[in-house]
């Protein structure tokens, strides 16, 4: 075993200062991802600063009708919260589609956003991987790439982001609040995760030692319906091959607003702005839903093993939109 130090954080400022002062230090949430990586030899932090006792475990309604979710709120508590179930069903459904009951009881909001890819080569230290060890190559390109990216990938990495929750948060226009040495900053979730480019080792735009303190959701648009649909190998306890989060407003048979994000397709939750644009103002028909999917997917570049993700995404988006549009009218 590689030795490491452990320190429970007592306040947010000293948690940030402690991690910033030590290059090999990391924050510890529920540990369901980081501790696994330590066991596999993928991560070896010299110090774990446990943030789970910080007062960041509240879910608060905001005066404008939005919601603030503390960084250490457990995935199960967030999924079950009555306000989330009523106002943000897409978020509750996405959380419940992820992992297992036991894992959701331990996993935190910040840890879920910052979990690392499930690319099997990333988790296998005997194989080349630019994300785990920059400059070594990518075993997935030319290897087993059924689960990998079809949008926004690079010649250096074709991994996908694994979080279901983050896909829903992207469609909800969430904002991540982080605390660093110079105080707080607010990062729209759409800009929080990175595409791989030439530095796939960086998953997000936050710096070493920046602490996620909360995530804020704006109020959902008036009259919106939302939902999450995930396609996976098994009915539970499996990551998404493809997933779709949608927030839709219809006006009679016309789609007046749509916010859509895809999971399982890219290195980050993929906000499908071109599909949204294609949908706004159209009549809610299956044909329009499929055309909207194609507007986004025409940029897709499948790998030899994952071309199936394109029709699967088109069908999943159309099925979810059909369900939401029908709910709206009934
Ligand atoms: C078998 C299995 C199946 C799973 N299936 C799914 C699935 O289908 N869908 C899905 O979405 N997820 C799935 N997961 C992943 C699971 O959701 C994540 O492991 C979990 O959400 C991570 O949260 P955590 O609090 O345990 O994070 P940790 O493991 O504690 O931390 C993860 C990362 O976040 C950092 N971190 C933690 N808190 C903070 C903070 N406040 N500020 C800054 N950095 C922080 C840590 O340093 C670490 O880098 C699965 C996991 C397993 C083991
Ligand atoms: S896809 Fe990314 S994470 Fe997977 S082996 Fe290639 S570089 Fe590593």
């Amino acid at each position: 075993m590689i030795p490491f130090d452990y320190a429970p954080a007592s306040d947010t400022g000293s948690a940030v200062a402690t991690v910033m002062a030590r290059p090999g230090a990391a924050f510890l949430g529920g540990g369901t991802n980081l501790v696994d990586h330590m066991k596999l030899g993928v991560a070896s932090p010299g110090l774990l600063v446990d943030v789970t006792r910080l007062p960041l475990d509240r879910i608060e309604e905001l005066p404008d009708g939005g919601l603030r979710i503390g960084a250490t709120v457990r995935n199960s508590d967030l999924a079950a919260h009555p306000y989330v179930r009523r106002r943000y069903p897409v978020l509750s459904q996405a959380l419940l589609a992820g992992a297992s009951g036991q894992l959701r009881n331990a996993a935190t909001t910040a840890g879920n956003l910052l979990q690392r890819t499930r690319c099997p080569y990333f988790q296998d230290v005997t194989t080349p991987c630019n994300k785990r060890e920059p400059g070594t190559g990518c075993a997935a390109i030319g290897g087993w790439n059924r689960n990998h990216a079809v949008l926004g990938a690079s010649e250096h990495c074709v991994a996908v982001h694994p979080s279901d929750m983050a896909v829903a948060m992207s469609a909800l226009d969430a904002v991540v609040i982080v605390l660093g040495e110079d105080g707080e900053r607010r990062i729209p979730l759409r800009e929080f995760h990175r595409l791989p480019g030439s530095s796939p080792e960086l998953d997000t735009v936050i710096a070493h030692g920046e602490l996620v303190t909360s995530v804020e959701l704006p109020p959902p648009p008036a009259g919106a319906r939302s939902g999450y649909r995930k396609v996976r190998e098994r009915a539970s306890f499996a990551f998404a091959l493809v997933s779709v989060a949608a927030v839709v407003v219809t006006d009679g048979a016309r789609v007046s607003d749509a916010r859509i994000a895809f999971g399982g397709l890219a290195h980050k939750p993929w906000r499908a702005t071109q599909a949204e644009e294609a949908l706004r103002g159209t009549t809610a028909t299956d044909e329009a839903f499929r055309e909207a999917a194609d507007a986004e997917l025409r940029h897709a570049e499948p790998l030899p093993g994952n071309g199936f993700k394109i029709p699967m995404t088109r069908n999943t988006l159309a099925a979810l939109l059909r369900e939401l549009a029908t709910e709206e009218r009934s």
Side-chain angles (χ1 to χ4, degrees):
M1 194 182 90
I2 299 171
F4 61 89
D5 299 324
Y6 169 84
S10 52
D11 66 276
T12 52
S14 64
V16 170
T18 308
V19 172
M20 284 210 168
R22 195 152 152 187
F27 296 115
L28 179 70
T32 62
N33 192 231
L34 182 55
V35 174
D36 273 2
H37 285 161
M38 291 168 71
K39 291 183 199 158
L40 292 166
V42 171
S44 49
L47 167 65
L48 292 182
V49 175
D50 185 342
V51 299
T52 53
R53 286 170 224 180
L54 293 175
L56 301 173
D57 58 350
R58 293 184 54 200
I59 302 174
E60 299 163 83
E61 292 172 34
L62 298 172
D64 67 355
L67 197 68
R68 181 180 299 125
I69 303 157
T72 62
V73 169
R74 305 291 173 168
N75 286 180
S76 317
D77 294 333
L78 186 56
H81 194 276
Y83 198 74
V84 175
R85 290 174 58 180
R86 191 171 74 251
R87 302 261 289 165
Y88 305 99
V90 60
L91 179 57
S92 183
Q93 289 168 20
L95 283 158
L96 292 174
S100 65
Q102 289 94 330
L103 283 160
R104 293 193 294 270
N105 287 341
T108 62
T109 302
N112 190 296
L113 285 180
L114 287 156
Q115 63 174 297
R116 308 210 70 194
T117 183
R118 305 302 287 201
C119 173
Y121 303 106
F122 173 73
Q123 297 195 325
D124 176 355
V125 293
T126 65
T127 61
C129 171
N130 288 324
K131 184 181 275 295
R132 178 171 28 77
E133 212 175 322
T136 55
C138 170
I141 299 173
W144 183 85
N145 47 42
R146 174 175 165 76
N147 287 351
H148 291 72
V150 297
L151 288 167
S154 76
E155 58 182 313
H156 302 281
C157 179
V158 293
V160 294
H161 193 267
S163 168
D164 290 294
M165 181 192 79
V167 179
M169 286 184 170
S170 175
L172 289 167
D173 286 331
V175 176
V176 184
I177 289 108
V178 300
L179 180 69
E181 265 178 331
D182 302 326
E184 255 184 19
R185 61 186 183 121
R186 298 170 64 85
I187 309 169
L189 189 99
R190 286 166 66 177
E191 293 161 24
F192 184 78
H193 297 100
R194 292 179 71 257
L195 289 177
S198 57
S199 47
E201 70 279 11
L202 302 174
D203 292 335
T204 69
V205 298
I206 65 172
H208 175 72
E210 280 192 301
L211 175 74
V212 173
T213 55
S214 62
V215 176
E216 285 183 11
L217 303 180
R225 296 264 162 194
S226 72
Y228 187 72
R229 195 170 274 210
K230 173 174 175 178
V231 185
R232 50 189 155 175
E233 304 277 10
R234 295 182 301 267
S236 74
F237 208 37
F239 288 87
L241 287 168
V242 160
S243 71
V244 178
V247 180
V248 178
V249 184
T250 50
D251 167 12
R254 204 178 62 94
V255 179
S256 49
D257 193 11
R259 298 169 195 192
I260 294 165
F262 294 147
L265 299 193
H267 199 254
K268 58 186 283 186
W270 188 268
R271 183 68 185 252
T273 50
Q274 296 180 59
E276 293 173 2
E277 211 170 293
L279 270 176
R280 284 192 194 108
T282 58
T283 306
T285 61
D286 238 50
E287 196 189 349
F289 301 154
R290 286 172 190 284
E291 279 173 12
D294 288 340
E296 195 72 42
L297 294 166
R298 67 169 186 261
H299 306 290
E301 292 183 273
L303 296 158
N306 68 7
F308 70 91
K309 286 191 174 189
I310 293 172
M312 186 177 270
T313 305
R314 186 188 300 119
N315 292 340
T316 308
L317 177 66
L320 177 60
L321 292 176
R322 195 184 311 129
E323 182 182 296
L324 294 176
T326 313
E327 249 181 61
E328 177 75 4
R329 284 199 290 267
S330 59

